[in-house]
Amino acid sequence: MTSGTTTPAPTPTVDWAAVRADFPFLERRIDGEPLVYLDSAATSQKPRQVIEAMASSAACGYGPINRSAYRLAGEATDRYEGARAAVARFVNAPAAHEMIFTKNATESINVVAGAWGRANLGAGDVVVLTHMEHHANIVPWQMLAADRGIEIRWVPLTDDGQLDLTDLDALLDGAKLFSFTAMSNVLGTLPPVAQLCRAAHDAGALTLVDACQFVPHNATDVQAWDADFVVFSAHKMCGPSGIGLLWGREALLDEMPPFLGGGNMIGNVTLDGFTTAPLPDKFEAGTPPITEAVGLGAAVEFLETIGMDAVRRHEMDLTRYALDTLGQRYGSDLVVHGPSNVEVRGGVLSFAFRDLHPHDVSQVLDERNVCVRAGHHCAKPLMRLLGANATARASFYVYNTTDDVDALAEALDGATDIFGL
Ligand SMILES: Cc1ncc(COP(=O)(O)O)c(C=O)c1O
């Protein structure tokens, strides 16, 4: 057993048509036809609650954070800190001040590599990664390897795209950090996060969980995981781009040096040096993403209103339907990478279709208004293991329906016609 199941308990029925009605992009027509957006693993669409919260805050509630005594600034600060509290609650973080706003998940990982890593890792120290990581969770460690001579070890994959944990204990032996994804952006695989954190801690290593694909689609509990650092991005969870999250245990964040220096992150500055502000300001140098934080707070409330167990269940249903529909229609002509069991995968389907290049597939689908991603998905080491330069990838979210899956299947027929297959 190498993956984590995240099957939720039964939840009250959600009115998914009403959820769709909250997304203005669904009113858009191209060539008179609606859009079928199947690229939420790259970035999600925004509901009107998020758009309106950001617009109203930018229009009449905008002001600086933390540095002024007047009421407008106070209100802006309250909204900014309210968003922090909301997102901390959303992932069950013990305290809001452990939740750091960054630019995106990539920057969050760079904060850990650049601040914790530089303070704690030297030549020969080991960081363990997996073969299914996004470049965001590879390159910062490779930069540290080049700079500091750390060793990187890799957890391999099974044939069905799960983590092969056979030699995990040996890989973790002597390691300082195990940094791994909670859900693959290519395979959809859901590794068993709590089990991996336990194994890392038993070996004396800390953990960083890249929850970029997990948090938007599943109920998340960083305390139940017993993780040390968790990162994710607002733009994949119905929020805006430009704001990401780093949650870390307070003691670790307190011990770490700051990552960026400048305004807001200082306690005091003299000609001889500086002291750092308490958390979270210590890691939020400069003017932060003020309006984006408001959007993130609204996104959290929007998802909480639906309920994350319901979101997970909806996506399991869509994924099952897609695997069945595409399997019945195209048989071995369409290969979906990753586990076939929806209990251990999320709503991300990377596929090869006949011998068509994924970019051609994506372009033909676009002519039918079906938006799928084609490329290496920032996971080139994994692509090499799959024996592909690229895949086409369809991914689901709260605004997708089985009609969207049918539209994808029918549009693939179009690709068959065009290329005469
Ligand atoms: C698993 C995973 N990690 C990290 C990232 C990086 O996220 P961002 O570009 O928001 O920093 C992504 C983005 O696709 C991802 O899918």
Side-chain angles (χ1 to χ4, degrees), residues 41-42 104-107 134 136 181 183 185 210 212-213 233 235-236:
N104 48 38
T106 302
E107 185 174 283
H134 187 280
T181 186
M183 176 173 151
N185 65 315
D210 175 359
C212 227
Q213 298 290 344
S233 280
H235 70 91
K236 293 186 198 286

Side-chain angles (χ1 to χ4, degrees), residues 119-182:
N120 291 283
L121 301 179
D125 282 337
V126 174
V127 170
V128 180
L129 307 175
T130 85
H131 278 162
M132 63 169 78
E133 298 311 314
H134 187 280
H135 295 163
N137 194 28
I138 296 176
V139 179
W141 307 111
Q142 291 177 329
M143 287 163 67
L144 211 52
D147 198 36
R148 291 289 168 95
I150 66 164
E151 180 193 343
I152 298 176
R153 294 182 191 152
W154 301 90
V155 178
L157 305 188
T158 61
D159 288 344
D160 70 340
Q162 302 193 58
L163 293 182
D164 181 349
L165 301 181
T166 315
D167 296 322
L168 183 65
D169 289 343
L171 287 166
L172 286 173
D173 188 27
K176 290 268 174 74
L177 180 76
F178 185 16
S179 188
F180 58 91
T181 186

